[in-house]
Amino acid sequence: MLEILAVSGYRSLRDLTLPLARLNVVTGANGSGKSSLYRALRLLADTARGRLVSSLAREGGIQSTLWAGPEQIGRAVRAGSHPVQGLVRKRSVHLRLGFGAADLSYAVDLGFPPPGLSTSAFLLDPAIKRECVWSGPLFRPSALLVDRHGPGLRAVDDSGAWRVIPTPIADFESMMTEFSDPRAAPEMISVRRKLQSWRFYDCLRTDVEAPCRRPQVGTHTPILADDGADIAAALQTILEIGDEAGLARAVDDAFPGAAIEIETRDGWFELSMRQHGLLRPLKAAELSDGTLRYLMLVAALLTPRPPELLALDEPEASLHPDLIPALARLIAAAAQRSQIVVVTHCRELADLLVSEPDSRAIELTKDFGETRLAGEAFRPRWEWPKR
Ligand SMILES: Nc1ncnc2c1ncn2[C@@H]1O[C@H](COP(=O)(O)OP(=O)(O)O)[C@@H](O)[C@H]1O
Ligand SMILES: [Mg+2]
């Protein structure tokens, strides 16, 4: 479980260190940095999938994702007697992401390739300067286990001595995907496996053209797709190898008397729902946006393969307010199996979730363009590995 999330230099997250609990509820006004926090988590997961650089490129390149404010927000700027524009960066730019956990922790530090030295056409590609895996939540050189410095990689072996791993790594690639000998760096493989299990749901589709509304070829689906397209197969998988009773309860909790049915024909699956007062079940194409979305969240949260971490961005979108308590119960139950991060605008959902045991309210505010934790919340100790 992550105990600390640390982000520096990414969009409005100039320097944010958050303590995390089992169930984390992120709230804040528009523009306070909630989506940036969510995306920072996804970028961490992307390192283990070999997609860090391409994900940054999709966001407009590292220049547009780097903190656009000054390195330090001085007293004169705060008082308004000195304009921010015109301040010049003196230090090299960093985009740093990391997490601390009781067992193994990780951090990555990205920057630009040195200007003038690059003979490559890929001028907007960031370079990975340093990546480290260490034991315990707080970085100390003595706790290091795997250490990538530029192209060089080394790991601590069984006897506690450093061993250089003679595979140079390209500066746009993470050690996570470039090096995979489990004997030489078992801790890195362990961190990578956890990161690869992280799951994100922020683009569930329920519009009239959404693929989930049409029959789909059904295969065992323990993990619902990002857009929810394979909802029928995912629900059928829960019925066959997962928490069948939990699924029936979650549906009945939101729609008393209702039950889902998966119709199968020649290997094609289609979701339908039997509802109280209707003569025939309604097919996915006929269900309301909110009903379909709730069923997708049920499929995502009751997954028979719970991830280490599951992040949801505004799960309440298009749900009827009556469904919020049922959604909160579903999320709280999922927190028994996975660590959860929920970004929400819904006060009721946030209040219900933070009343759960081992939960934490993370309220973000913006101060001179910089995202901060509201109130004088506890800021955990955190050290970045140096370049
Ligand atoms: N490179 C950047 N440097 C500084 N601030 C940025 C950068 N990119 C975007 N922002 C600002 O970050 C803020 C947070 O955005 P976002 O995370 O989408 O907020 P929320 O999801 O809370 O509405 C926005 O106000 C945006 O203008
Ligand atoms: Mg947002």
Side-chain angles (χ1 to χ4, degrees):
M1 188 184 104
L2 308 194
E3 294 179 0
I4 304 167
L5 173 69
V7 186
S8 157
Y10 176 63
R11 293 163 55 95
S12 59
L13 314 182
R14 189 185 70 85
D15 174 28
L16 193 70
T17 310
L18 294 177
L20 295 182
R22 190 77 191 158
L23 172 53
N24 302 281
V25 186
V26 182
T27 58
N30 284 325
S32 58
K34 303 179 299 298
S35 297
S36 303
L37 180 66
Y38 180 90
R39 289 204 222 168
L41 273 172
R42 192 159 50 196
L43 285 173
L44 268 169
D46 284 339
T47 36
R49 296 189 170 113
R51 293 201 304 236
L52 178 59
V53 168
S54 61
S55 293
L56 284 168
R58 259 202 311 279
E59 296 186 13
I62 194 171
Q63 275 99 336
S64 97
T65 53
L66 284 169
W67 160 244
E71 288 157 342
Q72 304 276 325
I73 303 172
R75 218 176 309 150
V77 169
R78 278 185 196 280
S81 60
H82 192 299
V84 172
Q85 261 115 49
L87 290 180
V88 187
R89 285 182 199 281
K90 297 190 192 69
R91 282 180 259 143
S92 52
V93 285
H94 293 265
L95 190 170
R96 291 181 289 203
L97 305 162
F99 63 80
D103 52 354
L104 294 170
S105 304
Y106 170 75
V108 57
D109 177 354
L110 298 114
F112 293 114
L117 288 181
S118 177
T119 51
S120 163
F122 299 104
L123 288 176
L124 297 184
D125 264 13
I128 298 179
K129 305 285 186 186
R130 190 138 190 226
E131 274 182 288
C132 298
V133 170
W134 65 91
S135 70
L138 187 65
F139 175 80
R140 288 164 291 121
S142 61
L144 260 178
L145 294 167
V146 189
D147 186 15
R148 178 252 177 102
H149 222 130
L153 181 63
R154 58 185 191 141
V156 170
D157 69 14
D158 290 343
S159 69
W162 282 107
R163 222 161 54 109
V164 171
I165 297 171
T167 327
I169 307 175
D171 60 8
F172 55 88
E173 265 157 346
S174 164
M175 68 176 186
M176 292 280 179
T177 45
E178 280 314 284
F179 183 76
S180 54
D181 179 355
R183 285 158 307 168
E187 296 86 1
M188 188 185 73
I189 306 294
S190 160
V191 170
R192 181 176 69 188
R193 200 170 312 119
K194 286 184 189 171
L195 281 172
Q196 283 175 340
S197 84
W198 291 12
R199 235 168 269 165
F200 296 84
Y201 288 105
D202 50 76
C203 53
L204 295 171
R205 275 190 63 190
T206 56
D207 53 284
V208 283
E209 297 292 325
C212 69
R213 291 189 178 274
R214 293 190 300 272
Q216 301 275 332
V217 173
T219 54
H220 277 100
T221 305
I223 300 171
L224 180 76
D226 299 356
D227 63 354
D230 49 10
I231 181 173
L235 290 170
Q236 183 65 28
T237 307
I238 294 170
L239 291 173
E240 290 190 17
I241 63 163
D243 183 3
E244 185 184 357
L247 172 54
R249 262 198 317 275
V251 173
D252 186 69
D253 193 11
F255 311 105
I260 56 149
E261 283 169 20
I262 310 298
E263 293 175 14
T264 62
R265 198 169 304 118
D266 301 331
W268 288 75
F269 286 28
E270 187 167 15
L271 166 68
S272 67
M273 189 158 118
R274 207 170 269 290
Q275 272 161 300
H276 194 61
L278 292 184
L279 295 178
R280 64 170 181 86
L282 295 185
K283 293 199 184 304
E286 302 167 307
L287 293 174
S288 76
D289 285 6
T291 303
L292 207 44
R293 210 180 139 81
Y294 179 81
L295 295 177
M296 285 180 177
L297 290 162
V298 170
L301 290 161
L302 285 181
T303 169
R305 300 273 179 278
E308 287 281 323
L309 181 127
L310 199 148
L312 300 168
D313 192 15
E314 297 184 26
E316 73 275 10
S318 86
L319 290 195
H320 189 276
D322 289 351
L323 298 184
I324 298 301
L327 175 63
R329 285 188 281 275
L330 203 54
I331 294 173
Q336 307 285 322
R337 301 178 289 270
S338 301
Q339 189 170 21
I340 308 263
V341 176
V342 186
V343 175
T344 181
H345 274 297
C346 174
R347 182 50 40 210
E348 188 189 0
L349 181 62
D351 288 345
L352 288 169
L353 292 177
V354 298
S355 69
E356 291 290 329
D358 204 0
S359 62
R360 189 179 298 273
I362 298 173
E363 193 189 339
L364 301 179
T365 58
K366 212 146 101 175
D367 178 31
F368 283 90
E370 172 183 358
T371 295
R372 287 175 178 274
L373 206 49
E376 268 321 297
F378 158 69
R379 185 181 161 105
R381 269 183 73 202
W382 178 260
E383 297 281 341
W384 291 108
K386 305 247 179 325
R387 275 191 185 173

